[in-house]
Amino acid sequence: MARADGAARAATLSDVARAAGVSLATASKAINGRDQVAPATRERVMRAAEELSFTPNQLARSLIAGRTGTVGLLTSDLEGRFVIPILMGAEDAFGAGQVNVFLCDARGDAIREQHHLKALLNRRVDGIIVVGRQTDPRPSLGHDLPVPVVYAYAPSDDPTDVSVTPDNVAGGRLAVEHLLACGRTRIAHITGDPEYAAAQDRAIGVRAALADAGLELVGDVRFSTWSEHWGRDASAMLLAQHPDVDGIVCGSDQIARGVLDTLRDLGKRVPEDVAVIGYDNWEVLATNSRPELTSIDANLQQLGRTAAMRIFEAIERTDGAEPGAGVHHLPVRLVIRGSTVARR
Amino acid sequence: MARADGAARAATLSDVARAAGVSLATASKAINGRDQVAPATRERVMRAAEELSFTPNQLARSLIAGRTGTVGLLTSDLEGRFVIPILMGAEDAFGAGQVNVFLCDARGDAIREQHHLKALLNRRVDGIIVVGRQTDPRPSLGHDLPVPVVYAYAPSDDPTDVSVTPDNVAGGRLAVEHLLACGRTRIAHITGDPEYAAAQDRAIGVRAALADAGLELVGDVRFSTWSEHWGRDASAMLLAQHPDVDGIVCGSDQIARGVLDTLRDLGKRVPEDVAVIGYDNWEVLATNSRPELTSIDANLQQLGRTAAMRIFEAIERTDGAEPGAGVHHLPVRLVIRGSTVARR
DNA sequence: CTGTTAGCGCATTCAG
DNA sequence: CTGAATGCGCTAACAG
């Protein structure tokens, strides 16, 4: 166990001041790079700090400054599939080490969420990012909080809150436009739970892009669960009913994996006979399939950066106004692999 | 200087005291449930606090107490596959809301790790959990830190540190013992990168369990990468050389997925002809394959809980003693699904 | 340039 | 039981 030698409490600024033979204030100025201190004095202070391995106590600083340089990340994303890239983006935006993030997992429990919220406020975080695991609107934390709040991935159901979420409609469009560009015209859509806004929004985008091209979807949108099993079953049914389908937009990479399985079983070549596109760009799934999976990437890291920047802006301004209230739909991105474009 | 003005800063304890018509000290006692305060007075204070929606400032409390009730989780696990269950276990152990966790991602960069470490110490965390992404020993943070440190998943290379890591040797044994219990005797082992301690340790367990049963591995251990691709290729070679193999222990669920693919292509039935077992119990992979994948689960959440408890013990004791230094190998667990036992 | 003083918000003596 | 005083570690006015 790494422990300081004995009960040696951490050195304080006054220890440093005494060791350097200066006053507390001077030591403070020297340490903080204030310019009202003689070079020689500063040197002495710095050396003393070094020898005592002095670490400025952020608690005390924060108490004075009224800001802690910390942000709370309140999530219900158990698997961490969405929250991790968002967290990384937020760290990027804040600048590593400048701001630290408290990560709290509410596990989908409103009581626990309330509990964590309170704890975060007690610790005087400067802002809170709320990350949901679906893109369905979630209950607002309310407006009577003393710190700015940004909702990421799952938007708030209150339009006067600030929310950033991926543009699923655009994602659906993008998928279809890519298949069209690949020369496909008989396109079907297999997706997940119809209760999810993500499923509905992507389907809207799919239909809109087809309509723009003067085409119709092959069969209805096939909703069920976000699983490989469903991908396998749905594509088997689809091929039985519409053997001429030449492109399949999938609502998730998992579904797409199932679709690839079935196509393989049926002796269909991908992408020659049927092109397949997934959604989420979950690398472990997308890059290990046969062929590798073209997919839509929601740019979650960028989303995290944006959320962090919004928080930052809100912290900076003192007038309490909430800039950019409303739901911001962030652009998504196409990642092309072998399931839509044959390798040569 | 009059402090009463219109500024909407958060209510402080002295605001509460004034509103309740008592002194600061009395308000403090009332709020904190000290018993040297008259019931009626306490009632008045509590109501005032409620009305002002008073939130005790943890910074100030921590400054006095010398403890913050926060822990730093320093990781390099980009994907968050290991760190999330560990984080959840740690939250469990600390009791939600009692302790909050700063999550820092060093992204495999030593400089950035040092940076984050310093920030955590400045913020006066009570302890640090270091989470690696492999089970190979990692450099120690050293012993001159003012707070206890526990290494999770990746142990420290310094045996006087406290480390908790999954018992991969036991995992390898467990996998083989299960296949033996299923009546398999011609068992092969396909695994990942031989540079990984995880691959070597699991292979050691596999060999040991076979030796105990008076058996030998079919062919050599097949090392390469932790990918589905390798699982597919390796199993094709294996079956070509040893068509009579009836059990395959895989070093990861990804590899196992690839193996299942190839067996399917070759017309082998799983588990009737060949039983397959994976490693990690990564649910998204294990529960979506055909058949579902039996796997070894490293109990990461339990690992996180244990790490947290170790930290906790170390914080509690003031004598600076080092309880339980060394690498602790935590038990793993078999999760049986259809790839080893046929469903009926 | 340097030091003295006064808090940040709170918990804790120790007198009343 | 209650309250005035002290200090946690540090920064920011001021005064020398």
Side-chain angles (χ1 to χ4, degrees):
Chain A
M1 181 81 33
R3 214 5 149 181
D5 3 276
R9 51 178 193 81
T12 117
L13 187 57
S14 61
D15 294 337
V16 174
R18 195 163 348 101
V22 297
S23 79
L24 201 72
T26 303
S28 172
K29 288 169 194 159
I31 295 277
N32 292 307
R34 291 271 173 283
D35 55 354
Q36 304 133 334
V37 54
T41 312
R42 160 161 307 151
E43 176 59 26
R44 230 166 350 120
V45 172
M46 294 307 257
R47 216 171 30 234
E50 179 69 23
E51 272 165 25
L52 297 172
S53 61
F54 166 73
T55 341
N57 188 324
Q58 267 300 131
L59 296 175
R61 287 180 160 179
S62 301
L63 192 55
I64 296 169
R67 283 157 130 256
T68 54
T70 62
V71 164
L73 196 54
L74 195 50
T75 179
S76 285
D77 175 22
L78 293 163
E79 316 233 341
R81 187 162 129 230
F82 302 130
V83 80
I84 290 291
I86 290 174
L87 171 67
M88 287 173 59
E91 272 200 340
D92 278 354
F94 288 133
Q98 282 302 309
V99 171
N100 283 105
V101 177
F102 279 119
L103 182 51
C104 305
D105 190 344
R107 317 214 177 159
D109 177 355
I111 306 280
R112 199 184 291 246
E113 178 173 287
Q114 214 46 42
H115 198 82
H116 272 137
L117 175 59
K118 199 163 177 183
L120 290 174
L121 294 177
N122 286 335
R123 294 199 188 287
R124 295 299 190 265
V125 294
D126 295 333
I128 295 177
I129 300 177
V130 180
V131 181
R133 58 184 148 183
Q134 309 170 196
T135 60
D136 297 75
R138 51 147 288 145
S140 173
L141 293 183
H143 281 249
D144 48 351
L145 296 177
V147 297
V149 178
V150 169
Y151 300 79
Y153 204 76
S156 164
D157 60 7
D158 181 339
T160 63
D161 285 327
V162 180
S163 305
V164 290
T165 188
D167 191 339
N168 278 315
V169 176
R173 293 194 79 102
L174 193 54
V176 168
E177 284 161 5
H178 174 57
L179 290 184
L180 294 173
C182 295
R184 312 304 163 126
T185 54
R186 295 179 298 284
I187 295 173
H189 185 32
I190 300 174
T191 191
D193 191 334
E195 301 286 312
Y196 278 56
Q200 296 294 349
D201 291 343
R202 291 166 194 173
I204 288 169
V206 165
R207 278 219 174 82
L210 284 170
D212 286 356
L215 294 172
E216 283 196 346
L217 201 59
V218 171
D220 282 329
V221 177
R222 289 160 197 264
F223 292 103
S224 180
T225 64
W226 303 101
S227 68
E228 289 192 49
H229 292 293
W230 170 238
R232 287 194 284 259
D233 296 345
S235 50
M237 291 190 295
L238 172 67
L239 269 288
Q241 292 166 24
H242 305 279
D244 63 339
V245 66
D246 65 4
I248 303 178
V249 176
C250 301
S252 76
D253 290 337
Q254 292 192 65
I255 290 171
R257 286 292 300 251
V259 169
L260 289 181
D261 258 10
T262 290
L263 291 175
R264 190 176 180 77
D265 286 353
L266 296 178
K268 293 277 189 182
R269 291 170 310 159
V270 176
E272 291 81 355
D273 301 328
V274 184
V276 176
I277 181 166
Y279 209 109
D280 287 339
N281 194 31
W282 196 354
E283 299 239 342
V284 65
L285 294 177
T287 64
N288 282 288
S289 60
R290 277 185 300 178
E292 297 193 358
L293 195 57
T294 294
S295 192
I296 304 293
D297 187 308
N299 283 327
L300 292 178
Q301 200 158 340
Q302 176 59 40
L303 194 102
R305 263 196 294 273
T306 305
M309 284 169 52
R310 296 271 174 200
I311 290 278
F312 210 68
E313 290 167 13
I315 294 172
E316 293 300 284
R317 65 174 55 201
T318 50
D319 56 11
E322 298 218 341
V327 180
H328 299 264
H329 296 274
L330 268 52
V332 298
R333 169 170 67 94
L334 173 70
V335 178
I336 299 176
R337 299 199 183 86
S339 68
T340 55
V341 177
R343 294 192 130 168
R344 301 199 302 156
Chain B
M1 182 176 14
R3 32 170 56 184
D5 53 30
R9 57 190 182 76
T12 111
L13 187 56
S14 62
D15 295 337
V16 174
R18 193 160 354 98
V22 298
S23 78
L24 200 78
T26 304
S28 172
K29 289 168 191 157
I31 295 275
N32 292 308
R34 291 272 170 284
D35 54 354
Q36 305 135 333
V37 55
T41 311
R42 160 162 304 152
E43 175 59 27
R44 223 157 5 108
V45 172
M46 294 307 257
R47 217 172 28 233
E50 178 71 23
E51 273 166 26
L52 295 172
S53 62
F54 166 74
T55 339
N57 188 326
Q58 267 301 129
L59 296 175
R61 287 183 161 179
S62 301
L63 192 56
I64 296 170
R67 290 177 45 165
T68 54
T70 62
V71 163
L73 197 54
L74 194 51
T75 178
S76 283
D77 175 23
L78 292 164
E79 317 231 343
R81 187 162 128 231
F82 302 130
V83 80
I84 291 291
I86 290 174
L87 171 66
M88 288 174 58
E91 272 200 338
D92 279 354
F94 288 134
Q98 281 302 308
V99 170
N100 282 103
V101 177
F102 279 118
L103 182 52
C104 304
D105 190 344
R107 315 214 181 160
D109 176 356
I111 307 281
R112 198 185 291 247
E113 178 174 286
Q114 214 50 40
H115 197 83
H116 273 138
L117 174 59
K118 199 163 175 182
L120 289 175
L121 294 178
N122 286 330
R123 295 199 187 287
R124 295 298 192 264
V125 294
D126 295 332
I128 295 177
I129 300 177
V130 180
V131 181
R133 58 186 147 180
Q134 309 171 197
T135 59
D136 296 77
R138 52 146 288 145
S140 173
L141 293 184
H143 282 246
D144 48 351
L145 297 177
V147 296
V149 178
V150 169
Y151 299 79
Y153 203 76
S156 164
D157 61 6
D158 181 339
T160 63
D161 284 326
V162 179
S163 305
V164 289
T165 188
D167 190 339
N168 278 315
V169 176
R173 292 194 80 101
L174 193 54
V176 168
E177 284 161 5
H178 174 57
L179 291 184
L180 294 172
C182 295
R184 310 307 162 122
T185 54
R186 295 178 299 284
I187 296 173
H189 185 32
I190 300 173
T191 190
D193 190 334
E195 300 287 312
Y196 279 55
Q200 296 293 349
D201 291 343
R202 290 166 196 174
I204 288 170
V206 165
R207 279 221 173 81
L210 284 171
D212 287 356
L215 295 172
E216 283 196 347
L217 201 59
V218 171
D220 282 332
V221 177
R222 289 159 195 266
F223 293 101
S224 180
T225 65
W226 303 101
S227 67
E228 289 192 49
H229 293 293
W230 169 238
R232 287 194 285 259
D233 296 344
S235 51
M237 290 190 296
L238 172 67
L239 269 288
Q241 293 167 22
H242 305 279
D244 63 337
V245 67
D246 64 5
I248 303 178
V249 176
C250 301
S252 77
D253 290 336
Q254 292 193 65
I255 290 172
R257 286 291 300 253
V259 169
L260 290 181
D261 257 10
T262 290
L263 291 175
R264 189 176 180 77
D265 286 353
L266 296 177
K268 293 278 189 182
R269 292 170 307 160
V270 175
E272 291 81 355
D273 300 328
V274 183
V276 176
I277 181 165
Y279 209 109
D280 286 340
N281 194 32
W282 196 353
E283 299 240 342
V284 64
L285 295 177
T287 64
N288 282 288
S289 60
R290 279 184 299 178
E292 296 194 358
L293 195 57
T294 295
S295 191
I296 304 293
D297 186 310
N299 284 326
L300 292 179
Q301 200 157 342
Q302 175 60 39
L303 194 98
R305 261 197 293 275
T306 305
M309 284 169 52
R310 296 271 174 198
I311 291 277
F312 209 67
E313 290 167 12
I315 294 173
E316 293 300 284
R317 63 175 55 201
T318 50
D319 55 11
E322 311 195 345
V327 180
H328 299 264
H329 296 274
L330 268 53
V332 298
R333 170 169 68 92
L334 173 69
V335 178
I336 299 175
R337 299 199 183 85
S339 68
T340 55
V341 178
R343 294 192 131 168
R344 302 198 301 158

